[in-house]
Amino acid sequence: MALADARTGSGEPPKVSLLYNPALRSAVYQIVTLVVIVAAVWYAWHNVVQNLARANMTAGFGFLNSRAGFDVAQSLIAYSSDSTYFRALQVGLINTLVIAAAGVVTATIVGLLVGIGRLSHNWLIAKLCTVYVEIFRNIPPLLVIFFWYLGVLALLPSIRTIFQHVKENPDAAFFISNRGIYMPAPVFGENFGIVLAAFALGVVAAIAFTIWANARQRATGKRPPVLWVNLGLIVLFPLIVFVVVGAPLTLDYPVPGSFNMKGGMVIGPEFLALYLALSLYTASFIAEIVRAGIRGVSKGQSEASYALGLRPGQATRLVVLPQALRIIIPPLTSQYLNLIKNSSLAVAVGYADLVAVGGTILNQSGKSIEIIAIWMVIYVSISLITSLFMNWFNAKMALVER
Amino acid sequence: MTENISYIRDHFLEAEKPPAANSSAFAWIRNNLFSTWKDAVLTILAVAALVYYVPKAVNWLFISAVWTGADRTACLTVDQGGQLESGWNGACWAYVNDRFVQFMFGSYPRDELWRPLLVAAMFVALLVPLLIPKVPRKGLNALLLLVVFPIVSFFLLIGGFGLRHVETSLWGGLMVTLIISFVGIVVSLPAGILLALGRRSSMPIMKTASIFFIELIRGVPLITVLFMASVLLPLFLTPGNNIDKFLRALIGVSIFASAYMAEVIRGGLQAIPKGQYEAADALGLNYFHKMTFIVLPQAIKLVIPGIVNTFIGMFKDTSLVTIISMYDLLGIVKASFGDSGWITPVTPLTGLIFAGFVFWIFCFGMSRYSAFVERRLDTSHKR
């Protein structure tokens, strides 16, 4: 009976002093914390109001509709100095996304190659990849950006040299100068929409074919030539359509203007410096992640697949890589997030990303609280969306346990 | 049957040499460089690239480089207004040599340089024993390094007790880089532990506040946190305050580092088996004792490599204070490019290679140390 009492606690909680009551203690701690946080926020808010009143400023986002008055060198959407601050921030956001997307793609490819290279049986390749990784991941990305921008790209031929070059070779279409890389710009004719539609159709057909091929492989054990058929659907079919509708694409060549090249497309040195630095820096981390991922797959897996008669390429593609991906994806996500956040270093070389544009607005209008709030909201949203996507991808790749 | 009819060999055979095809240098080359035709192509390409680029780089860095000189003319060619023959291209180490003290200490008064040097000596004297596992009294050592040393060096660097006051605006160079990262480390460790404990706490308010802080700071780039510290902080404080610019940068970096450190330490806390917590509860330890004596010592030991990696990241990230116009190593090197005494086409490249080399030495050293600790702590079963 005594035992049963002890087990059920005989109804009443043990008598302890109120001072030692865990629930009460936790409530007190939390209330104290809450009071401290509220007091700090109130103190800050009170000071902000006073400081703004002293400087004769008002808070609020109304300023976003006033005229920006500054120019942005690189803009993918229509923008002039007469546009609003809001428009300027949109330009900045798009530029941030462009550099982030370009960087993520390049860093992944370079990182994958270097990571596999470090595990190569070829001693020289493995050592070279190691040297690359050890150099780049131990140097601040900002320094690498300056290295490209001030140390390398600034030493390229000046625009005057390019003018001279054009005089001597009138047919040249690509120029590399210290003001960027000039190249012909595509000008789309009216029928180009048909080509785009053909391309979309090709992609849809390729997906459908892949699904059918997988089903057929499961049913018969034979794998149809997926790669060649898909390549034909995605590349050849739009190409044929392109020729049939009369090649509705012309090129706009860059030609010397009075002070600068006119026409064509230009990739500015700011973008190039940032792009090269971010991709190469992040690639060194991705290489390490890839290496750890591949090494994390037990050797028995590849030996087993050889025993089943798979060729080395198939073993890597069908057995090792899918398992390595499970180890790779979570840290890869945080590298992508780092790259996106590091793209804010654009401000150091004047590439008009979100932070650079916001910084200009901040200096012009003095709306520091609003601008920093906008930055934080946008970056946190980008981070959240990226991690949601990568979590979804991770779940898709994860081991399905039965 | 006692006569010796032993037919079992009573001594070992001499080991034979492995076949020459497997052990010679030639075999090594064949196995490691030319095992397949793809390997052969890659090797030949790599060798060609090395033969082409390495001599060029060595030549640029050392052979053609200018080592002595008083101003820019030493590193300019004749047609640029200097002394070197036209077509010359090489590093201008004379410029790094000339600006070296500035790169290390910024504009710190030259007759007071013994103060930062003394701080550096104390730092090394306290850090080295802490890093060598065999040296005893780690607790006292850590206390000296993380609590006593910062206070002493603060007064040594800024002045007081009879020493001349030195404005923080005069500080610069590697000194600032090291100070910012050290302060970041000293603040972020305890702050990170508190945030990590808060995030794993069962008290909803602590938990929400910690998660909000950590995720907000980790979701935004350091540069926005630095802008926040340098632009918003003065707005948040009583009107008319004049908070030191250097202090603002320190606060920004510390906030940022704490959020990252919290996540690393949380990883360690999660790796401690539940039994440890329950055993501590069973022994009647309160929360504080349970954490300080049972959980944290194990958790932190587990994540030392992660902590060192955070330090490396932080050390590299201090270079971002350049953007809010402070003169850390990178900032001062970059500022010196505009110095009329040394404007040459090769100055930026030389300066950046120098700064990169200094950053690289520190980060590479830390990452080697982290790998060493990882190997020491590694008791897991290798596959």
Side-chain angles (χ1 to χ4, degrees), chain A residues 25-27 29-31 33-34 37 43-45 47-52 54 120-125 128 134-143 146-148 150-152 155 281 285 295-299 327 338 340-342 344-345 347-348 355 359 362 368-369 372 375-377 379-380 383, chain B residues 28 31-33 35 38-40 42-43 46-47 50 202-206 209 215-225 227-228 231-232 234-241 260 286 312 315-317 319-320 322-323 330 334 337 345-346 348-349 352-353 355-357 359-360 363-364 367-368 383:
Chain A
R25 277 192 149 195
S26 119
Y29 288 147
Q30 295 192 64
I31 288 167
T33 315
L34 197 63
I37 293 175
Y43 172 77
W45 181 250
N47 287 331
V48 167
V49 171
Q50 280 200 328
N51 280 320
L52 287 184
R54 275 182 152 209
S120 163
H121 296 295
N122 189 323
W123 180 86
L124 191 63
I125 298 292
L128 282 178
E134 290 297 349
I135 288 180
F136 273 92
R137 69 176 184 161
N138 286 319
I139 292 180
L142 185 60
L143 197 148
F146 284 146
F147 176 84
W148 289 111
L150 301 171
V152 177
L155 301 184
Y281 176 74
F285 286 89
R295 281 178 50 145
V297 178
S298 120
K299 215 176 172 189
I327 309 175
N338 280 345
I340 294 169
K341 283 183 273 172
N342 278 337
S344 61
L345 295 178
V347 69
V355 172
L362 196 157
S368 46
I369 303 175
I372 289 177
W375 279 342
M376 294 211 150
V377 167
Y379 275 108
V380 169
S383 297
Chain B
W28 185 90
N31 289 335
N32 290 297
L33 297 177
S35 60
K38 284 179 202 158
D39 265 345
L42 281 177
T43 304
V47 169
L50 284 178
S202 54
M203 298 185 250
I205 290 180
M206 312 280 190
E215 292 303 329
L216 178 70
I217 299 298
R218 275 166 46 92
V220 300
L222 173 58
I223 189 70
T224 60
V225 178
F227 267 116
M228 197 173 83
V231 181
L232 287 194
L235 277 181
F236 286 158
L237 299 176
T238 22
N241 69 77
Y260 279 82
N286 63 24
I312 298 175
F315 187 78
K316 285 186 290 185
D317 281 346
S319 59
L320 264 65
T322 309
I323 296 175
L330 183 58
K334 187 173 174 258
F337 299 157
V346 293
L349 205 52
L352 288 172
I353 288 176
F357 182 67
F359 272 107
W360 187 83
C363 294
F364 187 70
S367 75
R368 287 296 96 184
R383 236 196 273 265

Side-chain angles (χ1 to χ4, degrees), chain A residues 181-267:
Chain A
I181 298 179
Y182 292 88
M183 59 178 93
V187 180
F188 302 111
E190 49 186 323
N191 283 338
F192 198 76
I194 303 175
V195 181
L196 281 182
F199 176 72
L201 199 68
V203 170
V204 171
I207 294 172
F209 179 74
T210 311
I211 294 171
W212 175 80
N214 286 345
R216 186 175 157 77
Q217 186 182 17
R218 253 175 254 127
T220 65
K222 285 189 190 125
R223 186 153 180 83
V226 176
L227 181 70
W228 293 110
V229 174
N230 281 355
L231 220 57
L233 283 173
I234 295 175
V235 179
L236 204 61
F237 176 57
L239 215 61
I240 294 170
V241 172
F242 177 74
V243 174
V244 167
V245 296
L249 180 75
T250 47
L251 292 175
D252 173 25
Y253 289 91
V255 287
S258 41
F259 295 106
N260 215 335
M261 303 292 284
K262 278 194 306 194
M265 257 194 328
V266 59
I267 301 178

Side-chain angles (χ1 to χ4, degrees), chain A residues 70-77 79 87-100 149 268-272 274 343-361 375 379:
Chain A
F70 58 87
D71 275 314
V72 173
Q74 313 90 348
S75 170
L76 289 180
I77 55 176
Y79 175 84
R87 188 75 176 171
L89 283 172
Q90 284 179 336
V91 171
L93 176 60
I94 290 176
N95 281 341
T96 292
L97 294 178
V98 166
I99 190 84
Y149 190 63
E270 296 84 14
F271 178 86
L272 274 178
L274 193 65
S343 71
S344 61
L345 295 178
V347 69
V349 286
Y351 174 71
D353 83 323
L354 187 62
V355 172
V357 170
T360 313
I361 299 176
W375 279 342
Y379 275 108

